[in-house]
Amino acid sequence: MTISRRTVLAVAAGATATAAAPAQAADTSSGQQPGPVARVLGAAADYAVTKLRAVAPGVSGFPVSTKFEKWVVSQNGDWVGGFWPGTLWMAYLRSGDEAFRTLALDSARKLAPRRFDTTTHDLGFLFYPSWATAWRLTGDDSWSTGAVQAADSLIQRYNPHGRFIRAWGALDTPQNAGRVIMDTMMNLDLLAFASRRTGDEKYLNVAVEHARTARRYFPRPDGSTPHVFDFDPDTGAPIGPNTVQGYSPSSCWSRGQAWGIYGFTTMYRRTGHEPFLATARELADFAVGALTSDHVPVWDYLAPQQPYDIKDASAGAVTACGLLDLAAAAGRPEYRRVAIRILTALSETCLTRKSTRADAIVARCTRNRPAEDGIEVSLPYADYYLLEGILRVLQPKDVDRAVDLSSTVARTMH
């Protein structure tokens, strides 16, 4: 597989940094949101801004989860460190408040040592909503340079035998050496970013090969997916599906399904490779069909207690963002309608409005049900993707400046 230099650079203009001030009013010029929906989503976004304005100055690290409604933080960011500065950037875009900009930059700087971390696939989660967004919104090339350094670390995890990026474990350890997880689809856009910034095809080539492998092995005929797929790390031969955060190897962990919808759509936008779009639609159709009438996903779409099982609002927020992206990429407005119903449901039933002690914005999340770790908690990525999703609807031009919603036009794939 090769991608021409022209292809790699084709969307460079869409990734150009801009330091313009954010819009402070909802962009509803498209007329696609009826008034009541815009009011519900706008009120949720404004609640998030108010909550962050009160809580953020006192947060000393990177929120990981909550314990009795208070953030438990990591000093190095764990795998979620990028979402805190990312959420602050979204609050800045919504409010225009320079205090959020300052907090976002200060938080992102603390991730600097992780640029050289080769022990995890999570570098996209860490550096895309933090450093890449910082570059786009400030024009300071040091942020872009750091994000490319993180991409250099990420591609070291690529296994050429199986054509996949290893999820977990240090590179010199055999445990999990052949383990691939759906979450990695969300880390590939960091590699696309690095190719656009440097003109070097190697980053995007790795992203495309990983996405092709995931597309080949993860989706089932009905569009559901397992959390994990294992390979022989020495030969690249497939071993089979597995799970860590889902109910079983044959179930469908809802947040993993959401990562897939969002990730495959992004890879389609970056490459124009139609099979990625087809896969995103297959995964989306399954997830949409599995939604209950309240439009808040259960933690696993195929666990025995569904549809009456515990919820995961974070899966809903990620799914909504992916469906909004997919609606635009595929020209299918029905995905947008479902996404708005999910965002509305989260805004009406999952916010922490009634709590006087909550640090987070979104409640009713599930981190790792099989491990009994984080049930009915708040999670930093739920806050981030809820705000991203709402602003995709109300302020799409601002979100585009922050995360780059552009698509490749000229492309050559072999």
Side-chain angles (χ1 to χ4, degrees), residues 3 7-12 15 124 128 132 135-136 144 147-148 150-152 154-155 165 185-208 263 266-271 276 403-404 406 408:
I3 302 178
T7 299
V8 172
L9 302 178
V11 293
Y128 200 88
W135 171 71
R136 291 193 180 101
S144 171
V148 172
D152 281 321
L154 180 56
I155 61 174
I165 294 172
M185 289 300 304
M186 294 292 290
N187 293 310
L188 302 183
D189 206 21
L190 179 68
L191 302 181
F193 174 85
S195 282
R196 292 196 302 278
R197 290 297 295 147
T198 65
D200 192 332
E201 302 175 6
K202 66 181 180 181
Y203 305 100
L204 186 58
N205 286 346
V206 167
V208 169
T266 299
M267 284 303 296
Y268 169 71
R269 285 197 292 104
R270 301 305 183 213
T271 66
F276 294 157
V403 303
D404 183 16
S406 63
T408 301

Side-chain angles (χ1 to χ4, degrees), residues 27-293:
D27 177 1
T28 57
S29 58
S30 65
Q32 295 183 15
Q33 304 87 42
V37 169
R39 286 194 292 273
V40 169
L41 299 186
D46 293 340
Y47 170 74
V49 168
T50 299
K51 174 65 71 176
L52 288 164
R53 190 172 280 129
V55 171
V59 174
S60 60
F62 299 97
V64 175
S65 182
T66 55
K67 185 173 182 180
F68 193 29
E69 300 186 297
K70 295 297 183 182
W71 284 128
V72 175
V73 301
S74 162
Q75 294 305 312
N76 77 348
D78 199 82
W79 73 269
V80 299
F83 295 119
W84 182 242
T87 301
L88 296 169
W89 280 123
M90 292 297 120
Y92 169 64
L93 292 176
R94 178 63 182 173
S95 67
D97 187 341
E98 288 290 324
F100 287 125
R101 181 183 187 276
T102 299
L103 287 167
L105 293 172
D106 289 346
S107 178
R109 288 188 188 99
K110 296 177 183 178
L111 290 172
R114 300 294 300 278
R115 291 171 291 167
F116 309 108
D117 185 352
T118 61
T119 68
T120 179
H121 74 118
D122 289 312
L123 292 162
F125 285 130
L126 287 167
F127 286 93
Y128 200 88
S130 56
W131 286 51
T133 294
W135 171 71
R136 291 193 180 101
L137 296 180
T138 68
D140 182 344
D141 283 343
S142 65
W143 297 108
S144 171
T145 299
V148 172
Q149 290 170 329
D152 281 321
S153 298
L154 180 56
I155 61 174
Q156 293 184 50
R157 301 185 65 75
Y158 180 68
N159 182 317
H161 303 295
R163 298 184 177 183
F164 59 79
I165 294 172
R166 172 182 178 173
W168 297 318
L171 297 178
D172 59 353
T173 59
Q175 185 178 7
N176 292 320
R179 177 145 286 191
V180 179
I181 64 175
M182 183 59 81
D183 318 38
T184 305
M185 289 300 304
M186 294 292 290
N187 293 310
L188 302 183
D189 206 21
L190 179 68
L191 302 181
F193 174 85
S195 282
R196 292 196 302 278
R197 290 297 295 147
T198 65
D200 192 332
E201 302 175 6
K202 66 181 180 181
Y203 305 100
L204 186 58
N205 286 346
V206 167
V208 169
E209 290 296 352
H210 178 93
R212 283 176 161 165
T213 298
R215 178 183 179 273
R216 180 179 180 184
Y217 290 105
F218 274 81
R220 305 183 183 109
D222 64 357
S224 66
T225 60
H227 177 208
V228 171
F229 202 96
D230 289 320
F231 297 85
D232 183 312
D234 297 319
T235 67
I239 295 174
N242 211 319
T243 196
V244 172
Q245 288 174 266
Y247 182 84
S248 74
S250 60
S251 72
C252 183
W253 178 47
S254 60
R255 192 162 67 246
Q257 191 81 1
W259 296 139
I261 296 165
Y262 195 136
F264 277 109
T265 304
T266 299
M267 284 303 296
Y268 169 71
R269 285 197 292 104
R270 301 305 183 213
T271 66
H273 190 43
E274 292 288 341
F276 294 157
L277 180 65
T279 300
R281 291 195 59 190
E282 291 169 9
L283 271 57
D285 290 344
F286 178 86
V288 169
L291 282 174
T292 49
S293 59

Side-chain angles (χ1 to χ4, degrees), residues 312-345:
D312 182 10
S314 75
V318 178
T319 298
C321 289
L323 290 175
L324 289 169
D325 211 10
L326 182 57
R332 301 300 295 261
E334 61 268 29
Y335 292 130
R336 180 181 177 85
R337 289 192 289 270
V338 176
I340 290 175
R341 286 198 292 270
I342 294 171
L343 292 172
T344 301

